[in-house]
Amino acid sequence: MQKFFVVVTGFLITGLLHFHNTYAQDTARYKGMTVNLDEVVVNAKRIGFDVNSFIKRVEEDTTFYRAFKNLRLLGFTADNDIRIYDKDKQVKASLKSETHQTMNGLCRTMQVMNEKVTGDFYTSKGDYNYYTAELYAGLFFTKGTACVDANGNGTEQGGGSMQRHKAQLKQLIFNPGKPVRGVPIVGPKVAIFNPEVMRFYDFFITAENYLGVSCYVFAARVKKDLGRIDRGDVVINELVTYFNKENFEIVGRKYSLSYKTLLFDFNVRMNVEMTKKNDLLIPALVTYDGTWDVPFKKRETAAFVAKFYVN
């Protein structure tokens, strides 16, 4: 059994999204975007590193969201830790469990080996009492037998509007930087490569060692001098992605999303590290710390912890 782990440290991830400011040695242009390059990238450019091709690869990348779907194609044992906080940042409900996923072809089943619950994590009917728990379960838990195609897409039909809304929310959280169809107001505002959105950001390509891997790092950070009106249109506060220099696969990503309207608001921070199993890119480390206030739901602040052991 090959071991990898997903660790979410809750509120301890504060500060992870602070990106190291490297003095820009040069700039590049891409579709109207000005990208600051550090000295290492400038030197790499001189010996053949194609900056524009790299940015295009970043723009068109779909492997990050696909990596979460790839978990539907592998057997694994997982330790799960979900915590819901009250307004004083005290845990008011939680779940800790060990689950085991087994594959039979492209169909998976999951057993709950043990589980400890506190507070009102479940309703009296046994449903999840919190939206974050529902989203987590939809991503990492399986009830009964569920089958997918070779791309990890579910073959089951239906699901209704609630399932559609959850799918859109997963896209927003786990595929940052891409527009989300069907999500009013917020959907187009996360498309940082669109001209009307990119003007809110400073862009950087730097070189770093990350998790022991030599990486090119693409970062988008909100401009510090944005006016109040423009700042109100920002959804992605920061998006930093680490790419392996050798094969340009994603090694990790850190990002922060927030938005506020009269109807809803959210503030979410994520950190994801990747690994590979059977040539499939999969999450190796995920951290989540977020608060949501959506219609017909009470404000919800949560964090989760998970460790995976892949067969």
Side-chain angles (χ1 to χ4, degrees), residues 110-254:
M110 180 170 286
Q111 290 180 299
V112 179
M113 312 306 290
N114 58 71
E115 180 179 276
K116 179 180 179 181
V117 175
T118 67
D120 60 347
F121 192 86
Y122 290 117
T123 68
S124 58
K125 295 182 179 180
D127 298 323
Y128 295 106
N129 206 26
Y130 295 94
Y131 204 58
T132 305
E134 287 187 61
L135 289 173
Y136 184 95
L139 192 65
F140 297 126
F141 293 161
T142 297
K143 283 189 176 181
T145 300
C147 299
V148 294
D149 60 22
N151 293 316
N153 296 311
T155 57
E156 61 273 7
Q157 302 295 320
S161 60
M162 180 58 70
Q163 290 300 111
R164 184 173 66 252
H165 293 325
K166 289 179 182 178
Q168 291 167 341
L169 191 54
K170 289 178 189 176
Q171 283 269 3
L172 175 66
I173 295 177
F174 297 109
N175 202 19
K178 302 292 192 301
V180 183
R181 293 181 180 179
V183 179
I185 304 176
V186 174
K189 297 180 186 295
V190 296
I192 62 173
F193 288 96
N194 288 354
E196 62 271 23
V197 179
M198 72 169 62
R199 65 188 179 89
F200 298 146
Y201 296 89
D202 289 321
F203 297 92
F204 300 85
I205 300 176
T206 59
E208 273 188 53
N209 284 323
Y210 182 71
L211 302 177
V213 179
S214 184
C215 295
Y216 288 120
V217 186
F218 184 85
R221 301 202 307 276
V222 174
K223 292 179 181 291
K224 295 181 179 180
D225 59 352
L226 278 189
R228 181 177 60 85
I229 294 177
D230 285 342
R231 187 64 183 83
D233 278 335
V234 169
V235 174
I236 295 179
N237 302 311
E238 183 174 47
L239 176 61
V240 183
T241 309
Y242 300 82
F243 294 86
N244 188 320
K245 284 185 179 180
E246 296 296 323
N247 53 25
F248 296 105
E249 289 182 340
I250 291 182
V251 179
R253 174 170 280 169
K254 301 174 183 179

Side-chain angles (χ1 to χ4, degrees), residues 2 51 150 205 233 291 295 300 302 308:
Q2 177 179 340
V51 172
I205 300 176
D233 278 335
T291 181
E300 187 171 302
F308 291 81

Side-chain angles (χ1 to χ4, degrees), residues 9-196:
T9 56
F11 291 102
L12 293 179
I13 71 171
T14 303
L16 278 176
L17 294 165
H18 175 70
F19 186 74
H20 178 67
N21 290 316
T22 304
Y23 180 74
Q25 302 292 322
D26 197 0
T27 60
R29 297 282 293 178
Y30 177 81
K31 293 185 178 180
M33 173 191 296
T34 298
V35 183
N36 300 284
L37 312 177
D38 74 358
E39 185 175 1
V40 175
V41 175
V42 171
N43 290 335
K45 182 180 175 184
R46 289 172 182 154
I47 59 175
F49 175 59
D50 190 331
V51 172
N52 281 1
S53 293
F54 174 72
I55 301 173
K56 183 178 180 181
R57 181 186 292 269
V58 175
E59 179 183 11
E60 297 178 351
D61 179 79
T62 59
T63 61
F64 185 76
Y65 185 50
R66 168 65 189 272
F68 287 90
K69 292 184 178 181
N70 286 342
L71 285 176
R72 300 175 177 180
L73 302 172
L74 297 169
F76 60 79
T77 298
D79 294 328
N80 310 284
D81 188 341
I82 308 171
R83 304 175 188 180
I84 312 298
Y85 295 90
D86 61 22
K87 62 181 180 179
D88 296 319
K89 297 185 179 180
Q90 300 298 310
V91 176
K92 66 176 181 178
S94 69
L95 174 143
K96 290 186 179 182
S97 71
E98 179 185 338
T99 52
H100 180 68
Q101 177 168 294
T102 303
M103 300 300 301
N104 183 8
L106 292 175
C107 295
R108 67 191 188 277
T109 56
M110 180 170 286
Q111 290 180 299
V112 179
M113 312 306 290
N114 58 71
E115 180 179 276
K116 179 180 179 181
V117 175
T118 67
D120 60 347
F121 192 86
Y122 290 117
T123 68
S124 58
K125 295 182 179 180
D127 298 323
Y128 295 106
N129 206 26
Y130 295 94
Y131 204 58
T132 305
E134 287 187 61
L135 289 173
Y136 184 95
L139 192 65
F140 297 126
F141 293 161
T142 297
K143 283 189 176 181
T145 300
C147 299
V148 294
D149 60 22
N151 293 316
N153 296 311
T155 57
E156 61 273 7
Q157 302 295 320
S161 60
M162 180 58 70
Q163 290 300 111
R164 184 173 66 252
H165 293 325
K166 289 179 182 178
Q168 291 167 341
L169 191 54
K170 289 178 189 176
Q171 283 269 3
L172 175 66
I173 295 177
F174 297 109
N175 202 19
K178 302 292 192 301
V180 183
R181 293 181 180 179
V183 179
I185 304 176
V186 174
K189 297 180 186 295
V190 296
I192 62 173
F193 288 96
N194 288 354
E196 62 271 23

Side-chain angles (χ1 to χ4, degrees), residues 282-301:
I282 50 179
L285 170 70
V286 177
T287 72
Y288 172 93
D289 183 358
T291 181
W292 294 83
D293 187 8
V294 297
F296 313 114
K297 294 278 188 177
K298 294 181 179 180
R299 174 172 293 281
E300 187 171 302
T301 300

